[in-house]
Amino acid sequence: TDKTNVLHRISKTNAGIWATMGRSLSYKSNYSLEVSLEIMKTIVVPRLLSGLQALTIKGENFEKLDRFYSCFMRRIMLQRAKSPMSPILAITGTPTLRAILDRDVMNLFHNVWSLDGPVKDSCIAIWTDETLKHNYWPYRVREICQKYNIPDPLVLVQSDCPSKDEWKGYLTEKIFESDRRSLRDKDRKSTRLNPSHSSVSRMPSSA
């Protein structure tokens, strides 16, 4: 089930992080902020989301992933457990976990789009038949397209497939730029409500 897969990814990621980094994750870490964010990008997130782009992760299952992600971000930024996440992500230029997972789902969709065969045919059949249950993965692709103003997947698969690099650039513009705007808006609102939120920061230390 999705729940089992999510819990497995959290357990594997947690074990891998501590085995690799050990005491360096303490609040007295000697890692610089830049190194910590690179570890987040290249180790934590790939481990956490591995294989989940092929599933439909929503609701409580996604919240479990996001809590783990948020906990790690607060730790490397030396923030309290309940510090608001939008200023932390906005200041560091880090995407939300939802944006990263949406990007990964759309990269998987590109693989489907680029290869003719039974998988692509099945996806087209699901996008065409509105009577089917909406918890199928192809419908998740459609939801993401609607969310970020990307053409419908049924329209996309009937057009020429771009290269991987072109598609990644397009997703960066559509998904991550939208995510950054949303974070900036949330950060401004939280700062107006509580000016102390604007002080969220961490001075880099020597690596």
Side-chain angles (χ1 to χ4, degrees), residues 165-183:
D165 287 342
E166 290 172 333
W167 184 243
K168 287 179 179 178
Y170 178 76
L171 293 181
T172 296
E173 177 184 349
K174 284 291 188 177
I175 296 179
F176 286 167
E177 284 299 325
S178 173
D179 190 57
R180 278 192 282 268
R181 288 194 298 270
S182 177
L183 284 172

Side-chain angles (χ1 to χ4, degrees), residues 5-6 16 20 31 45 64-65 68 75 99 105 112 131 149 158 160 166 175 180 198:
N5 280 291
V6 164
T20 302
Y31 278 125
V45 172
K64 289 184 174 70
L65 292 168
F68 184 90
R75 180 175 287 275
V105 170
V112 173
T131 66
N149 197 29
Q158 293 171 348
D160 293 335
E166 290 172 333
I175 296 179
R180 278 192 282 268
S198 62

Side-chain angles (χ1 to χ4, degrees), residues 20 26 29 39 52 56 59 73 80-81 85 98-99 113 123 169 176 191 196:
T20 302
S26 73
S29 171
I39 289 170
L52 298 184
T56 304
M73 278 299 298
R80 300 185 307 274
M85 282 300 297
R98 172 50 74 189
W113 182 6
C123 287
F176 286 167
T191 302
S196 66

Side-chain angles (χ1 to χ4, degrees), residues 118-132 136 138-139 142 154 157:
V119 175
K120 184 175 181 179
D121 292 342
S122 296
C123 287
I124 291 174
I126 291 173
W127 289 319
T128 304
D129 190 346
E130 295 290 341
T131 66
L132 296 175
Y136 285 114
Y139 278 116
R142 174 168 278 165
L154 193 56
V157 296

Side-chain angles (χ1 to χ4, degrees), residues 59-183:
E60 184 180 345
N61 291 324
F62 178 76
E63 289 172 7
K64 289 184 174 70
L65 292 168
D66 199 42
R67 281 196 295 271
F68 184 90
Y69 179 77
S70 299
C71 179
F72 192 86
M73 278 299 298
R74 291 186 180 105
R75 180 175 287 275
I76 66 176
M77 289 293 291
L78 310 182
Q79 296 298 308
R80 300 185 307 274
K82 293 186 179 180
S83 295
M85 282 300 297
S86 55
I88 293 174
L89 296 175
I91 288 169
T92 59
T94 305
T96 61
L97 190 67
R98 172 50 74 189
I100 297 171
L101 182 56
D102 287 348
R103 186 271 316 271
D104 290 351
V105 170
M106 294 306 293
N107 278 331
L108 181 59
F109 161 73
H110 181 270
N111 293 341
V112 173
W113 182 6
S114 64
L115 297 173
D116 292 329
V119 175
K120 184 175 181 179
D121 292 342
S122 296
C123 287
I124 291 174
I126 291 173
W127 289 319
T128 304
D129 190 346
E130 295 290 341
T131 66
L132 296 175
K133 293 181 179 179
H134 282 211
N135 59 347
Y136 285 114
W137 180 82
Y139 278 116
R140 178 66 191 134
V141 174
R142 174 168 278 165
E143 289 173 355
I144 294 171
C145 289
Q146 293 171 346
K147 179 179 179 180
Y148 298 104
N149 197 29
I150 297 172
D152 189 83
L154 193 56
V155 173
L156 290 174
V157 296
Q158 293 171 348
S159 60
D160 293 335
C161 183
S163 69
K164 282 190 176 182
D165 287 342
E166 290 172 333
W167 184 243
K168 287 179 179 178
Y170 178 76
L171 293 181
T172 296
E173 177 184 349
K174 284 291 188 177
I175 296 179
F176 286 167
E177 284 299 325
S178 173
D179 190 57
R180 278 192 282 268
R181 288 194 298 270
S182 177
L183 284 172

